[in-house]
Amino acid sequence: MAWDYTDKLKEHFFNPKNILEIPEEEYQADGTGEVGNIKCGDMMKFYVKIDKKDGKDIIQECKWKTYGCASAIASTSVLSEMATGKTIEEAVKITPKDIAEVLGGIPEQKFHCSVLGDKALKAAVEDYYEKTGNKDKIFWKKREIICKCLDVDRAEIESLYHNDGVDTIEKLQQKTKIGTSCGQCLKKAENLLEELKSSSSPHIS
């Protein structure tokens, strides 16, 4: 199968921005987040430095490392650029669709790569909140997890169902790779899809 990569995606793959090139222990990050599973092929780690300005938390620097494909590298690279200079509140609102749009599109088979970058950034932000005693601001780690290996939660599946018409386990796996590691979550994911089908109809925006 031939996958078409945009010029923007190839640019970030061949010349990725903001990679952490020094040993991790030498980089004094304010928050670190890791998501993914090396068994399924993609793992990402984000490091953020936060600057306080006018009472707001600004992401001064955003570094990363990833084990993954061209789409994983490119989507993480562009996300690091998008998040730098933003407040935490602005940065955590960056969606996988936002990342894909900046890259000019991501092959459907590789869309899950942009989801991992989004999650790694949120994990780094919440690590910063924990370290600075702001646990009341933590929201992401309180989710209902469906797939532990790939960190897929109920809200993500519900969003894909209602906004992208993801109404089968095959479509869900294409978007998230859910169940491709240990497979223990598949039945739970299937039950959730059936629950959604019984209560509403998918809507594609």
Side-chain angles (χ1 to χ4, degrees):
M1 182 181 295
W3 291 334
D4 293 324
Y5 291 110
T6 66
D7 289 339
K8 189 74 171 181
L9 191 151
K10 287 186 283 189
E11 175 192 334
H12 276 273
F13 170 56
F14 290 115
N15 300 288
K17 310 299 189 295
N18 301 314
I19 291 179
L20 182 64
E21 297 179 339
I22 63 174
E24 181 177 343
E25 58 272 13
E26 294 180 16
Y27 187 74
Q28 296 181 345
D30 294 314
T32 303
E34 180 177 294
V35 297
N37 191 313
I38 203 166
K39 292 180 181 179
C40 73
D42 294 307
M43 179 177 287
M44 294 186 185
K45 198 162 187 178
F46 255 76
Y47 312 81
V48 294
K49 285 189 176 181
I50 308 297
D51 182 36
K52 286 278 190 181
K53 187 176 182 181
D54 298 327
K56 296 181 179 180
D57 291 318
I58 310 293
I59 297 180
Q60 179 187 24
E61 196 168 78
C62 191
K63 297 288 187 179
W64 57 276
K65 287 183 177 181
T66 188
Y67 177 88
C69 63
S71 294
I73 292 169
S75 62
T76 315
S77 172
V78 79
L79 174 59
S80 70
E81 289 193 321
M82 294 170 72
T84 301
K86 285 185 169 60
T87 66
I88 284 180
E89 289 77 11
E90 292 170 334
V92 297
K93 290 179 181 177
I94 298 172
T95 67
K97 283 188 177 181
D98 294 332
I99 298 168
E101 286 177 5
V102 172
L103 287 171
I106 294 175
E108 190 69 21
Q109 303 91 333
K110 292 294 182 179
F111 189 79
H112 65 275
C113 300
S114 64
V115 178
L116 281 181
D118 160 58
K119 292 175 178 178
L121 175 59
K122 287 183 172 69
V125 164
E126 297 209 338
D127 181 53
Y128 165 72
Y129 282 151
E130 286 189 12
K131 289 176 177 176
T132 55
N134 289 293
K135 293 186 178 181
D136 58 308
K137 293 185 178 181
I138 291 175
F139 64 97
W140 191 68
K141 291 181 181 178
K142 297 177 180 178
R143 304 160 296 142
E144 180 185 343
I145 302 296
I146 303 298
C147 174
K148 293 181 179 179
C149 296
L150 291 162
D151 216 16
V152 179
D153 63 25
R154 181 187 182 95
E156 183 178 347
I157 294 173
E158 289 179 344
S159 176
L160 288 170
Y161 176 83
H162 290 296
N163 299 318
D164 297 276
V166 175
D167 57 356
T168 68
I169 197 68
E170 290 77 18
K171 291 178 182 178
L172 186 60
Q173 286 184 312
Q174 190 175 58
K175 287 285 188 180
T176 66
K177 294 185 75 174
I178 192 171
T180 56
S181 184
C182 72
Q184 294 181 13
C185 62
L186 282 177
K187 187 62 178 176
K188 193 172 183 180
E190 288 173 349
N191 289 341
L192 176 53
L193 288 175
E194 290 303 315
E195 176 189 327
L196 292 169
K197 288 177 189 178
S198 67
S199 60
S200 64
S201 299
H203 170 70
I204 302 176
S205 58

